[in-house]
Amino acid sequence: MTVIVTGGAGFIGSNFIFYMLNAHPDYRIVCVDKLTYAGNLSTLRSVMNNPAFSFVKLDICDRSGVYSLFEKEKPDMVVNFAAESHVDRSIEDASVFLQTNIIGTSVMMDACRKYGIRRYHQVSTDEVYGDLPLDRPDLFFTEETPIHTSSPYSSSKAGADLLVLAYHRTFGMPVSISRCSNNYGPYHFPEKLIPLMIINALGNKPLPVYGKGINVRDWLYVEDHCKAIDLILHNGRAGEVYNVGGHNEMRNIDIVKLICKELGKPESLITYVADRKGHDLRYAIDPTKIRNELGWMPETKFEDGIRRTIKWYLDNRAWWEEIINGDYQQYYEKMYKDRQKA
Ligand code: NAD
Ligand code: TDX
């Protein structure tokens, strides 16, 4: 079995590659990644010499490059993680989000149509459902919740999802989609909430909380997400969407305070800054379908996962220091310097 994993030099894709090489030692994994600012080859160092693994630097929008790769590798399955993934960047400039997330997805699926595929899996997000009100804890996203996006990022992911389902209906392509809640764990790029707060706290720098910090996210340890995708890939029904989440809702401010506590840093580092434009209030997944159909349940409790994650950032300083000492500095300056106090 040969599996093409796109975006495998990023956060979830790399964790998925580690997971798959372990879980299916007889599979060949071919990682396709453009190595944007978010892709990091050093993340894959431990598997580079594994004969079951190979890396190809390629843009998923490069049609002839993708077709040549399919001709050479003859993949049985494709798991498409490759995407622009940061909401704040999509608010600054949506163009690359539309290009990679929508056009790139269509190129990957056209290659699957042309050369044949057992399964094309699209890694999507709960953000396609928009948000839920803070005062209705009884409401959750199900697979039937209407698509109702808030940001250019989530709109581009929703566009891709609709295209994937259209290829199933129109061409009978064997597709599946997972819509997962917020992930956390090793190799999470420093621009995202949890790694940003850990890294800033370690440097005794301000911890920029958007608005009042009361927005709620539903956090899942990355390995649990990887297990869910593996199950859907092998046992999920073609043409179906599966929500993935573990009923672990937390307010942003409570996460930041927990990180301060774990690192022994003062809460006085917390700085409230201007809110994100169009900031989604609450995400919360109902995972009944994947639990009932595929027996998936999250295994890592948040208290354990967050400690493991903090320890990983403490033990792997070289990985994130190289990032934050590069172009990331200009990004940080641009995004946070003039952010008015809330
Ligand atoms: P990430 O930003 O850490 O990684 C994205 C990877 O895709 C990088 O390695 C990057 O180099 C690569 N890439 C970007 N454009 C490319 C292109 N045109 N061609 C080839 N490679 C390209 O993202 P992540 O957090 O690991 O997210 C992975 C996927 O999971 C995304 O599709 C995202 O929408 C989805 N997702 C993420 C979360 C989350 O909490 N992080 C939750 C649900 C769904
Ligand atoms: O500096 C910050 N301060 C802050 O208060 C940052 C970076 C974020 N936040 C808030 C915004 C959100 O309410 O924290 C929350 C989490 O923010 P992000 O880490 O940017 O994640 P989010 O916008 O929720 O999106 C994530 O989950 C769904 C991923 O980045 C997406 O790729 C995924 O689809």
Side-chain angles (χ1 to χ4, degrees):
M1 194 76 83
T2 298
V3 185
I4 288 187
V5 177
T6 71
F11 165 45
I12 310 175
S14 60
N15 279 283
F16 182 72
I17 287 170
F18 303 147
Y19 176 81
M20 290 295 279
L21 286 170
N22 241 320
H24 306 282
D26 51 330
Y27 283 20
R28 284 182 60 238
I29 306 288
V30 181
C31 172
V32 169
D33 201 295
K34 185 184 176 184
L35 297 180
T36 67
Y37 79 92
N40 197 335
L41 214 44
S42 79
T43 300
L44 295 170
R45 194 178 292 139
S46 65
V47 295
M48 276 301 185
N49 293 326
N50 185 330
F53 175 78
S54 55
F55 178 82
V56 181
K57 184 174 188 298
L58 182 66
D59 184 338
I60 59 163
C61 302
D62 173 356
R63 191 173 287 274
S64 61
V66 169
Y67 285 8
S68 303
L69 181 77
F70 271 65
E71 258 167 45
K72 179 169 175 256
E73 299 291 352
K74 302 185 175 43
D76 300 286
M77 294 178 175
V78 169
V79 185
N80 186 28
F81 288 92
E84 288 294 328
S85 68
H86 195 35
V87 173
D88 291 327
R89 289 187 193 250
S90 80
I91 294 168
E92 293 295 304
D93 180 6
S95 54
V96 70
F97 285 75
L98 306 181
Q99 187 63 23
T100 289
N101 298 5
I102 301 177
I103 304 296
T105 296
S106 75
V107 169
M108 291 307 298
M109 288 197 300
D110 285 341
C112 292
R113 274 185 67 210
K114 190 168 157 66
Y115 296 98
I117 202 79
R118 281 205 213 184
R119 176 59 62 91
Y120 172 90
H121 183 78
Q122 178 72 3
V123 181
S124 187
T125 169
D126 60 358
E127 296 198 18
V128 300
Y129 300 120
D131 64 354
L132 296 162
L134 292 174
D135 60 357
R136 289 291 307 275
D138 55 316
L139 296 181
F140 298 93
F141 296 137
T142 73
E143 290 78 3
E144 272 68 52
T145 301
I147 300 283
H148 187 76
T149 54
S150 311
S151 72
Y153 161 71
S154 53
S155 304
S156 68
K157 293 296 290 184
D161 282 14
L162 295 176
L163 207 54
V164 172
L165 294 173
Y167 271 54
H168 176 69
R169 166 87 188 237
T170 308
F171 306 115
M173 208 163 98
V175 305
S176 48
I177 298 179
S178 51
R179 293 184 178 144
C180 190
S181 58
N182 285 58
N183 285 212
Y184 68 102
Y187 300 107
H188 204 178
F189 195 79
E191 69 194 348
K192 306 285 168 45
L193 178 80
I194 288 181
L196 186 144
M197 295 301 167
I198 296 172
I199 291 168
N200 279 18
L202 285 171
N204 300 308
K205 297 202 174 107
L207 307 177
V209 172
Y210 298 167
K212 296 188 171 69
I214 53 173
N215 303 61
V216 171
R217 296 292 181 266
D218 186 357
W219 294 94
L220 183 72
Y221 193 65
V222 63
E223 201 175 58
D224 280 322
H225 186 190
C226 296
K227 282 182 192 161
I229 295 172
D230 184 20
L231 275 175
I232 298 168
L233 206 52
H234 291 93
N235 305 329
R237 287 182 291 142
E240 292 293 315
V241 173
Y242 292 89
N243 282 356
V244 184
H247 283 304
N248 182 60
E249 294 176 46
M250 306 264 301
R251 298 190 315 170
N252 295 337
I253 188 65
D254 297 326
I255 298 235
V256 178
K257 286 183 177 170
L258 179 67
I259 290 171
C260 288
K261 188 164 165 249
E262 289 291 326
L263 288 173
K265 299 290 180 180
E267 288 184 6
S268 57
L269 288 174
I270 293 171
T271 311
Y272 292 94
V273 300
D275 211 348
R276 173 184 281 173
K277 291 190 184 100
H279 198 174
D280 280 335
L281 294 171
R282 171 176 168 251
Y283 302 146
I285 283 278
D286 175 352
T288 306
K289 180 174 173 179
I290 190 168
R291 190 183 59 217
N292 289 353
E293 277 191 27
L294 304 177
W296 177 86
M297 297 269 275
E299 286 168 25
T300 304
K301 286 203 206 96
F302 187 76
E303 309 87 86
D304 300 334
I306 192 73
R307 282 204 192 103
R308 214 183 295 168
T309 302
I310 291 172
K311 184 173 181 322
W312 188 88
Y313 281 86
L314 285 168
D315 292 346
N316 291 275
R317 274 179 174 270
W319 182 85
W320 54 264
E321 276 175 352
E322 197 181 323
I323 294 170
I324 66 164
N325 291 329
D327 293 346
Y328 183 78
Q329 282 178 359
Q330 282 89 59
Y331 163 82
Y332 197 87
E333 184 88 353
K334 185 171 169 223
M335 288 300 212
Y336 292 92
K337 187 166 171 265
D338 294 326
R339 218 163 173 138
Q340 302 292 316
K341 284 249 160 84

